[in-house]
Amino acid sequence: MSQSRHVPVMLQRCLDLLAPALQEPGAVVVDCTLGLGGHSEALLERFPEARLVALDRDKEALRLSGERLAPHGERATLVHAVYDELPEVLDRLGVPRVQGVLFDLGVSSMQLDEADRGFAYAQDAPLDMRMDQSTGMSAAEVLNTYPPGELVRILRAYGEEKQAKRIVSAVVREREKEPFTNSARLVELIRAALPQAAKRTGGNPAKRTFQALRIEVNGELSVLERAIPAAVEALAVGGRIAVLSYQSLEDRLVKQVLAAGAANTAPPGLPVVPERYAPRLKLLTRGAELPTEEEIAENRRAAPARLRGAERIRESVG
């Protein structure tokens, strides 16, 4: 697939947000979601004194990005890891603190564009959805084996799907006749299960179910719950984090972690706030920043993006 097709979302804004922390020689920036390497390449080009550590759980992404980032030689270290493994990765590399961290939580364009991975509902493909295909359960296994109550919970919690019960009862009925293997059959089933009114709103009716399955298969929210606090902890004082999310569940989680770090946690009424209660973070975005209309016109995948950033302003005190 051609890499020119992949336009990194809100690229300039991410670079500007991280810039004040990455000017010094020897600064380390971590790209927690390497994908096709668009953000990583831009970081290496814009900050010639910085070192990059980039993580991805997808071996194919690492291979393609490795080719793309090869001209930067030793400055780029690519690691096969899930982003909640950041503390272990930094430990292995002997990097105690970093100056910048970037997360782009969108499913990589590569995974959406490679039909045989089963992420997209627009084309028929095996229902896999694993970002790392060497491990874990596929989406088909989840659909075929999970108890109905658990499937309903997943569609509601991760897909915000109001019609979860209807969809799941249809899935359970169908899987008894024949297990699910491909995406087209699931898309058809969802179309048939939904009432007319539900089909008229918000794009492809299968979108929410596919999102929910993808999050479950990859453990995305539980990984993110561990990863964002770990990334904040890895920042040196003056270090900055930027996070791009694409759905409300992720954005809410990021917002909570950053807001908690920026809060004064002292009991009310203290005349002087002891150091341990003072904020560790300063928020760099007012709420979540959105892509410009021009960017959305050029790259429709940018439309749902939400960017949040924060700066580490002091060490944690016991």
Side-chain angles (χ1 to χ4, degrees), residues 6 14 19 45 56 111 114 138 145 153 156 163 171 182 215 220 225 232 240 249 263 291 296 313-314:
H6 176 62
C14 289
E45 285 170 1
D56 209 295
Q111 290 162 339
E114 300 288 303
S138 70
T145 63
R153 183 190 70 75
R156 281 193 182 142
Q163 306 290 336
V171 164
N182 274 42
I215 290 174
E220 285 173 49
E225 267 176 283
V232 167
R240 290 178 163 217
L249 300 162
I296 294 169
I313 52 174
R314 66 173 191 85

Side-chain angles (χ1 to χ4, degrees), residues 143-144 167-181 185-186 188-190 192-193:
L143 271 183
N144 293 329
I167 291 170
V168 169
S169 54
V171 164
V172 170
R173 196 173 58 239
E174 284 299 313
R175 76 185 186 185
E176 280 166 10
K177 297 179 197 164
E178 190 189 335
F180 283 89
T181 55
R185 182 174 165 218
L186 178 59
E188 274 314 298
L189 173 145
I190 293 167

